[in-house]
Amino acid sequence: MPLLQPPHSPELNPLERLWQLLKKPLQNELFSSLQALSVGVARLRHRIQEIFNQLTFEQVMSVSSYNFILEALFYAASY
């Protein structure tokens, strides 16, 4: 039996938690022109790549694992 998640629940979406981790170092970027935005986007893209390269397995697991969902899945699978 499938477990349905409530709609519009970003707190249950692992990608949302990963985005929280990624956007912290990228906050408060302001650009005065399109040229500055273009340079900034290239710099931000490089920074995101650096962040991904530094992520450990444990960090990925911590932002993508939800104990209550895993418990529910194990409970549902036992039926």
Side-chain angles (χ1 to χ4, degrees), residues 16-32:
E16 291 293 335
R17 290 178 75 182
L18 182 60
W19 176 241
Q20 291 294 325
L21 178 71
L22 288 176
K23 75 179 185 178
K24 283 188 186 245
L26 306 176
Q27 294 182 47
N28 301 321
E29 290 284 335
L30 299 175
F31 304 100
S32 59

Side-chain angles (χ1 to χ4, degrees), residues 1-69:
M1 172 167 55
L3 290 174
L4 300 176
Q5 294 182 3
H8 309 292
S9 52
E11 66 278 359
L12 298 178
N13 184 346
L15 190 55
E16 291 293 335
R17 290 178 75 182
L18 182 60
W19 176 241
Q20 291 294 325
L21 178 71
L22 288 176
K23 75 179 185 178
K24 283 188 186 245
L26 306 176
Q27 294 182 47
N28 301 321
E29 290 284 335
L30 299 175
F31 304 100
S32 59
S33 68
L34 286 177
Q35 179 64 28
L37 175 62
S38 178
V39 171
V41 166
R43 192 177 72 243
L44 292 176
R45 203 171 101 222
H46 178 72
R47 179 68 183 129
I48 289 172
Q49 186 63 51
E50 286 177 347
I51 291 169
F52 271 111
N53 289 341
Q54 294 172 1
L55 283 176
T56 65
F57 178 76
E58 290 78 18
Q59 287 172 315
V60 172
M61 289 299 293
S62 75
V63 297
S64 63
S65 296
Y66 295 96
N67 287 337
F68 65 92
I69 292 176

